[in-house]
Amino acid sequence: MTWATWSGWGLDGFTNQMFPLALGGIIATLGLTTAQGGLATSSALIASAVGGVVGGRLADRFGRVQVLVLVISAYALFTGLTATAQNFEQLLIWRTLEGFFFGAEWPVGAALMAEYAAPERRGRALAWIQSAWAVGWGAANLAYVLSHAWLPETVAWRVMFAVGILPAVVALLIRRNLRDVPTVRVRREPRQKGAFAELFAPGLRRYTVLGTLFGATGLASTYALQTWIPLYLKEERGLSVSGTALYIWFMIVGNWLGYVLGGHVHDRIGRRWAFTLFYSGTAVFGFLFMAVPVQALWYDLLLAAVVGFFVSAQASGKGALFTELFPARVRGTGAGITYNVGRGVAAFSPALIGWASDGIGLGSAIVAVLLVCTVLTVLFIWLLPETKGRVLD
């Protein structure tokens, strides 16, 4: 179960993090503006909001595993088709469809793993699963370095997306014997309301709305950093492909440690305090990295690792939080709404930064969005209940 679910998040990390790395080559090849590059990023994230709701609803109705196999297959297909884009319109279509199935995968896998995990270990169990994201990011960075070492920039990004099909094949092979938790798979409880009506009824409405706002502002701060850092390092720091990749490697190492260790902190001190700690740390060290550059390589690389740590440590608790807020009959749908609709709203973050960068510079635009979103995220987590140790039905 663990390795099967782990592989899916690794695939997400690989394919999702390829786009920021390839963005420079895509802009050069297709003749895009920075704003169009941001729009292509945002379109996938907006589509993921719809995909997350649809995927979660289908998982609640037909079972987690069947839906996982479907969405991974489609996700891989549209990742590969991105390599064939000849203009902005085609890129937008493939990225949007890829984003839809990318969004559908998260709530299904989170619900499946949460239902298998023991309550007192749920935070670290889901955090370990999400640590695969860092491994997938590392694989994307390796593909970036190797493809650009042998091929011109205008061709290398296409090869990267074509290679993105392979991890999906591995994930599907690993998951071929995976089964749903029996009590969830066979349950057909009568309900007076539909899933969406129940989620927005008085009993769960507060969790649904606040959870979505928390997801939106938190992910907006994350996307502010992860989407634009490769281009920032290239354009404002003047780094080469190898120099950019070196910084990314240090961020990936910190990212993996943040996932693994962050889950233990979430289980030890609770969701509220852990999220407050990690989001505040992301803002502080992200500001130092972007706005206070120091001419010392060791310092910058260490800071990159620390930023990577805090970004993933705050993300490590979301799988547990969003599944603990809702009962089993609407758990996939609820997690899909709070995380993926939040992601859809957060999708405006990369586009806003791309637009603002023309006036105030890319680094300043990233910092401004990061700081505002952090304040809002901390506010929303304290308006949600503490769910540490909650027993799931």
Side-chain angles (χ1 to χ4, degrees), residues 37 64 67 77 115 173 196 219 226 249 269 276 278 359-360 382:
R64 319 303 193 204
V67 178
L77 171 64
E115 288 160 354
L173 289 174
F196 296 106
L219 286 167
Q226 287 189 333
W249 281 123
I269 67 175
T276 301
F278 293 138
I360 63 175
W382 282 93

Side-chain angles (χ1 to χ4, degrees), residues 50-61:
V50 181
V53 175
V54 173
R57 184 70 194 99
L58 291 175
D60 286 338
R61 186 173 180 82

Side-chain angles (χ1 to χ4, degrees), residues 59 87 98 108 116 139 167 170 172 186 192 196 202 221 235 237 245 252 273 281 302 331 344-345 361 363 366 377 382:
N87 52 49
E98 179 191 349
V108 185
Y116 271 99
V170 175
L172 288 171
V186 302
Q192 300 300 315
F196 296 106
S221 70
E235 292 192 350
R237 296 280 185 96
I252 290 169
W273 281 110
L302 178 61
R331 183 166 296 131
V345 176
I366 293 171
T377 303
W382 282 93

